[in-house]
Amino acid sequence: MLLTVPMGTALAACASVRPAPASLYGQLGGAPMLEAISARLIDGFAISPDGSRAFDRVKLPRVKRGLEAFLCVLANGPCAYDGDDMQRIHAGLRISEREFNALVEHLRQTLDALGVDPGAKHELLRRLAPMRRDIVTATATHSLAPRG
Amino acid sequence: MRPLAAFSLTLVACLAGPAVAADLSITLRGQSGAPIQDAAVLRAAAVAPPTAGAALIDQIDKRFEPSVSLVRTGTAITFPNKDNIRHHVYSFSSAKTCELKLYSGVPAEPVVFDQAGLIVLGCNIHDGMLAYVYVVDTPLARLSDAAGIARIPAIAAGQYQLEVWHPRLPAPAILNAGLAIGTTALSFEQVLTLEPDPQTPPPLE
Amino acid sequence: MTVATRTLRSRFVLVFFGLALIVTTVGLSVVKLAIERNARQQLAEELSTSERVFRRILADGTQQLEQAAAVLAADFAFRAAVATGDRETIVSALANHGERIHADLMMMVDRAGRITASTSSHMPAGTDFPQAALFERARAAGRTTGLVVSDEHLYQTVLVPVKAPHTIGWVAMSFLIDDRMAQELSELTSTELAFVFKIADGDWRIVGATRHGVARATLLTHLRDPALLNGTPLALGADLLLASDLGAASDLAVAVLRVPLASALEPFAPLQRFLFGLALSALVATVAGSALIARGVTRPLSQLADVARVIASGDYSREATIECDDEVGALARAINAMREGIASRESTIMDLAYRDPLTGLPNRALFIDRAEQALASSARRGGTTGLLLLGVDNFRYVTHTLGHRFGERLLCELAQRLTGMLPRRADTLARISGEQFAILLDGASVVDASTLATRILQGLETPFRIDEQIVDLGSSIGIVDFPAHGSDVHTLLQHAELALSVARRARCDLAVYEPGFDQSPERLSLLGELRQAVENDQLVLFYQPKLDLNTGEPTYVEALVRWQHPERGFIPPDKFIPFAEQTGYIRVLTQWVLQAALRQCVTWQRAGINLRMCVNISARDLLNPDLPQVIQTLLDELTLDPALIWLEITESAIMEDPVRTQQVINALDAMGLRLSIDDFGTGYSSLAYLKRLPVDELKIDQAFVLTMDRDPDDATIVRSTIELGHNLGLKVVAEGVDNPRALEMLIAWGCDIAQGFHICRPLPPDKLESWLASEDCRRFRHPAPARLSA
């Protein structure tokens, strides 16, 4: 029903007992869950003090769609990611450690709030960890020259 | 976004005619009397060949700079990406449909605009990045200024079609299909009805 | 239970019931009103809350539309399709996105307001966007939401601009407002819903409503009420309605939420039922309780009323036994006290009424009462009842001599002595007058009564000793018997009195009544006749001469009245004199006798017959203070020497009232009349007293003289009396000389005068004159026969 979809999504997201499927994608909760995660994360982070600079005037729906697909692929889901890689996306943005840490913290909170299985959460975070290098391009004191 | 008003005034050229030049000055106003800026006023280009000119629309701080450009057909416009972040410039305008991915630290090829028309550029990644490119095939085209005045100098005498182009005109407005330009300077006002600007709320009257 | 009590009790109960009824009714009404008001208020608040929920859900749904539309509008491929006019892509994209959120309508609108793609047949591509105002808003504001009405369908619509990068069109997404939506929302808001939109003023259409909502016609009627569209809960009919705007202004479309008013009261129904039950049981309890209390009050009251009635009937023996400590108990105690007071007062009154205060004996009233009872019971039995009347002789003399106090104490002593002498306790002894006592002998005969009377008299012979004073009481008793001597108490008492006076007069101490004593009818007529006799000269005086024994000459005559009744003939004096004395007519009689006798005396004096006239004076006459004057008048009239007149007064007459008689006697003596004591020896007198009287002679009662020749005792008495008289300086007259022997004895003993049949009987004047001249008279002349030594 029109009105019950968001509720249904939330309900589905809150379900904690599931038979453990093999892929992280399944563990996380599939497409609806990824949609919720990315939406919640981006919406929350974009307006937060640490994220507002990076997301200034950025079209969030597009970011969310991209993130969804990215996570899906990252979690071995049945998706195709046709966007740019993390490095290209964040090049020139001079994302700082602090901003990145804040994002990770937001992600953690989002995952907790949506009731994601702790094991899956850790796995996701583990898989995302290497992105740091690609994303963080500035230190607190001085900016690095963009890598070619 | 700056109110962008562009009129284009096309002068229908009467090919035969003495090479007497006269200035044309047109003042454009909106319905409320406010001057319309950045309208392209031009005469239809029948004879002028495309030039291999060059223009530049930069990306500074997630904005196109300049936001309004008037170029001749055949102009190659480069996008320097001054702010050095990823942009995904695109246009769906019929005169030029293109996509241009600008990456940080990666120069991009210029884009040749070979068709006349009004081209609206945007960035897929960033809200609010908007640029208008009037591609005209006549040198007799000018943008109206802040006062709404467009002045086209040294027009050879003859009959011209006067057109006004503006993003908020659904189609180029032909003001005068046969405007006779003589030896004297011509100056007049024109009121145009534009579509409402979604950025500004309508006046409260 | 009497009617009065029932009324009191039922009044009690009614009052309490009425009060309880009022209280419970008022209470229940107040509660009911409060509940209703509260419930309505609550319901209105709930409805308002439901409306807010409704709006929130609606907003959520709208937001969903917006998001979906925005997602679509942001899609690059979609934007490309729109920019290039790729209708197929546009339509399929619209459809996909719409499907995902189950939107009912998806459209693409160009910059001119024209629909370029649509999933609705009502608003097909090529037509203008139906809600021009909404589209204008979208153009001005970018994205907007509002209502779209098309072909009597209502759509909640969002318009989201497609930016490429300038607005090249709008994505419109809608959901249909219909019954299904109404049902969904109704379930979520717990109200009944109806969606209406206005076609024209007062003309509304219902586009969607829940099954149990207000009947469509009713709702349309309600909508005419402008108050409904104020946005506050309004009670119409049995429902509470709230209109919620769907569009910008409620003049386009409204959602009407409805809750039945009754639902507000439902939760309170058990409470109200409980209260009602409580009130009912309270009423019942009140009735029962007040009935009980009333009974607790009225029952003792009616018991006390019974007790009071018993007391009123004269029975003071029943005590009111109410044992409570409250006011009723106090009343009971008061009634008891009153009962005792009444009983004691009544007893006192009875005593006062029926007891003689001096002696404590029953008084006249009580005696009569008891006598009546005794007579009645005798009559029933057919038996007899005796009545004794005892009178103290000369009681007045005693009180005069010894004092009133003494007299009273004497009476008390007498009463005590009499009480001791009554044979049976049932006999009533009463003091019925100052010196008279009556004894009632129920069932006694005359013989029994007489026996008792004799015993009493014997018992009274013993003198009374009071304070060293010894008194001899003489008494007389009159005896009557029922039914022989009277049929009612008063008659019996009257006859007893007669008998008593007869006994007294005859000095025989007791007398049984004889019918002859009382000749009332005769008495009355006799009195009249006597009067007539006096007036008509039927009375004559006979004269009996008295012989002076010294000379043998008749020197005195005693006037004796005789009555010549025309019918009855000769009536002897003992037949009418006592009667005259009793009736007081003796005064007239005496006066007549005096007149006649004195005249006769004068006549004889003038004729040379020198006879002293002796006239009998009765006790009544002696008590008449006018008597001296009467005689004096006569003497003066006749110019008669008073020394010729002898007045004979009986001893007992003097003793009846010695004080007053003394005064008269003194007066008579002062006039020069001669006085003689008649019937000496038969009455009670004290010689000392006698000594003081100015009498001149003593007449020995004939009772002694008549038998003196046979009875030595009488002879002794006569002789002694003659000596006594002489010792006192008095002449002695012997009356009743009816034989020569007596005469001889009298002459021998020195008696001065003799009178009797032997000498001469009473004669009329002419006959007397003849006798005086006769031989019978002369033979007594002396020389007297041999005189015995003086």
Side-chain angles (χ1 to χ4, degrees), chain C residues 104-390:
Chain C
D104 297 310
L105 171 63
M106 282 72 66
M107 288 192 291
M108 191 64 218
V109 185
D110 72 8
R111 285 160 38 151
R114 187 163 281 258
I115 300 172
T116 56
S118 170
T119 58
S120 161
S121 50
H122 302 295
M123 291 171 272
T127 57
D128 282 329
F129 188 76
Q131 216 71 26
L134 185 64
F135 183 72
E136 284 307 316
R137 265 218 316 278
R139 275 227 283 223
R143 62 168 64 177
T144 188
T145 67
L147 288 171
V148 169
V149 179
S150 165
D151 198 22
E152 308 221 336
H153 287 89
L154 198 64
Y155 296 94
Q156 177 71 348
T157 309
V158 302
L159 284 162
V160 174
V162 180
K163 299 253 180 96
H166 60 303
T167 307
I168 54 174
W170 280 268
V171 172
M173 284 209 181
S174 315
F175 51 79
L176 180 64
I177 295 175
D178 61 354
D179 288 339
R180 197 190 59 184
M181 170 173 255
Q183 197 59 41
E184 278 175 35
L185 284 165
S186 160
E187 280 162 23
L188 291 166
T189 58
S190 312
T191 62
E192 299 295 328
L193 270 179
F195 295 108
V196 292
F197 76 90
K198 184 152 73 168
I199 294 180
D201 253 327
D203 188 10
W204 296 76
R205 287 281 185 278
I206 300 170
V207 288
T210 49
R211 277 191 303 280
H212 302 296
V214 185
R216 303 210 161 202
T218 318
L219 179 59
L220 289 173
T221 315
H222 286 329
L223 282 165
R224 287 193 228 290
D225 187 345
L228 180 58
L229 300 169
N230 276 348
T232 50
L234 189 71
L236 289 170
D239 300 309
L240 196 63
L241 300 171
L242 179 59
S244 181
D245 290 345
L246 292 176
S250 65
D251 55 354
L252 181 60
V254 211
V256 180
L257 290 85
R258 178 196 85 98
V259 281
L261 286 168
S263 69
L265 296 169
E266 257 178 59
F268 294 102
L271 173 67
Q272 285 198 298
R273 275 197 295 277
F274 172 74
L275 282 176
F276 185 74
L278 193 67
L280 219 58
S281 32
L283 278 174
V284 169
T286 303
V287 170
S290 59
L292 259 159
I293 292 175
R295 200 171 68 123
V297 170
T298 55
R299 204 168 46 160
L301 281 180
S302 65
Q303 280 177 350
L304 286 176
D306 288 337
V307 169
R309 261 193 296 280
V310 166
I311 291 174
S313 72
D315 180 359
Y316 307 126
S317 59
R318 273 184 52 188
E319 192 175 322
T321 52
I322 309 259
E323 283 140 30
C324 352
D325 227 351
D326 62 358
E327 289 87 339
V328 177
L331 178 63
R333 281 193 291 282
I335 286 180
N336 277 333
M338 183 184 73
R339 174 185 61 88
E340 283 161 17
I342 288 175
S344 95
R345 274 192 289 283
E346 193 176 281
S347 149
T348 309
I349 287 168
M350 291 294 284
D351 276 352
L352 284 172
Y354 289 131
R355 292 273 157 189
D356 171 50
L358 176 65
T359 59
L361 293 175
N363 63 3
R364 187 189 180 89
L366 183 56
F367 180 81
I368 288 174
D369 191 52
R370 290 206 189 156
E372 279 170 356
Q373 287 174 19
L375 295 188
S377 92
S378 280
R380 275 198 303 274
R381 280 182 287 114
T384 58
T385 293
L387 199 153
L388 299 180
L389 191 66
L390 185 146

Side-chain angles (χ1 to χ4, degrees), chain C residues 16 44 198 229 275 424 465 484 501 510 592 595 597 680 693 715 764:
Chain C
F16 273 95
K198 184 152 73 168
L229 300 169
L275 282 176
R424 298 180 299 180
R465 189 197 205 93
S501 67
L510 68 84
W592 183 86
Q595 261 198 338
F680 185 76
L693 288 174

Side-chain angles (χ1 to χ4, degrees), chain C residues 353-640:
Chain C
Y354 289 131
R355 292 273 157 189
D356 171 50
L358 176 65
T359 59
L361 293 175
N363 63 3
R364 187 189 180 89
L366 183 56
F367 180 81
I368 288 174
D369 191 52
R370 290 206 189 156
E372 279 170 356
Q373 287 174 19
L375 295 188
S377 92
S378 280
R380 275 198 303 274
R381 280 182 287 114
T384 58
T385 293
L387 199 153
L388 299 180
L389 191 66
L390 185 146
V392 176
D393 298 339
N394 301 318
F395 185 68
R396 265 175 295 205
Y397 173 70
V398 171
T399 54
H400 170 68
T401 314
L402 300 167
H404 266 287
R405 291 278 326 272
F406 191 89
E408 284 176 352
R409 290 177 62 184
L410 192 61
L411 284 175
C412 289
E413 290 283 319
L414 176 59
Q416 270 184 2
R417 204 183 276 193
L418 284 172
T419 310
M421 286 191 277
L422 286 182
R424 298 180 299 180
R425 292 203 58 148
D427 294 330
T428 306
L429 169 67
R431 180 183 173 204
I432 62 168
S433 77
E435 69 220 35
Q436 284 182 350
F437 293 82
I439 300 170
L440 182 70
L441 300 167
D442 189 1
S445 64
V446 173
V447 174
D448 301 327
S450 303
T451 311
L452 176 64
T454 311
R455 229 189 33 253
I456 288 173
L457 289 166
Q458 282 172 355
L460 293 182
E461 278 173 11
T462 317
F464 289 86
R465 189 197 205 93
I466 297 166
D467 288 344
E468 311 299 324
Q469 183 77 36
I470 295 173
V471 180
D472 263 317
L473 265 192
S475 55
S476 308
I477 298 179
I479 302 168
V480 291
D481 190 54
F482 170 85
H485 299 142
S487 53
D488 67 281
V489 182
H490 294 282
T491 312
L492 286 168
L493 275 174
Q494 209 178 355
H495 291 173
E497 274 227 47
L498 275 172
L500 173 64
S501 67
V502 164
R504 207 176 256 167
R505 209 144 273 156
R507 292 184 221 131
C508 55
D509 299 331
L510 68 84
V512 176
Y513 173 79
E514 284 172 29
F517 292 167
D518 170 24
Q519 294 169 9
S520 304
E522 284 183 15
R523 284 162 68 97
L524 288 173
S525 67
L526 195 59
L527 182 61
E529 286 175 23
L530 193 55
R531 274 194 226 276
Q532 275 190 322
V534 168
E535 286 158 21
N536 296 342
D537 294 323
Q538 291 171 9
L539 296 172
V540 290
L541 276 179
F542 278 14
Y543 300 91
Q544 189 179 32
K546 299 188 196 181
L547 219 55
D548 182 343
L549 289 179
N550 289 329
T551 61
E553 294 278 342
T555 46
Y556 306 88
V557 286
E558 184 177 337
L560 299 160
V561 65
R562 295 287 182 269
W563 186 0
Q564 289 285 13
H565 194 276
E567 277 141 34
R568 292 200 222 129
F570 177 74
I571 299 179
D574 57 356
K575 284 280 192 279
F576 63 89
I577 297 288
F579 170 70
E581 283 177 349
Q582 284 164 17
T583 56
Y585 195 66
I586 194 70
R587 291 192 187 181
V588 177
L589 202 59
T590 303
Q591 193 158 350
W592 183 86
V593 167
L594 278 168
Q595 261 198 338
L598 263 53
R599 268 187 226 282
Q600 184 63 55
C601 185
V602 166
T603 305
W604 274 335
Q605 287 293 327
R606 294 219 184 102
I609 299 169
N610 189 17
L611 287 171
R612 291 167 175 71
M613 187 60 66
C614 304
V615 178
N616 284 295
I617 301 290
S618 74
R620 282 292 187 104
D621 298 316
L622 275 182
L623 292 171
N624 182 9
D626 296 330
L627 182 66
Q629 189 56 46
V630 166
I631 298 174
Q632 185 65 51
T633 308
L634 266 173
L635 288 172
D636 293 339
E637 194 186 308
L638 297 168
T639 59
L640 194 55

Side-chain angles (χ1 to χ4, degrees), chain B residues 90 92 99 120-122 124 129-130 132 167-170 195-198 200 202, chain C residues 74 76 79-80 83-84 111-112 136 138-142 163-168:
Chain B
Y90 72 97
F92 292 129
E99 276 183 61
V120 184
L121 297 171
N124 242 341
M129 282 184 74
L130 193 63
Y132 295 98
R168 297 204 331 261
L169 280 175
E195 288 168 0
D197 184 355
T200 52
Chain C
F76 189 77
R79 281 186 286 154
T84 56
R111 285 160 38 151
E136 284 307 316
R139 275 227 283 223
K163 299 253 180 96
H166 60 303
T167 307
I168 54 174

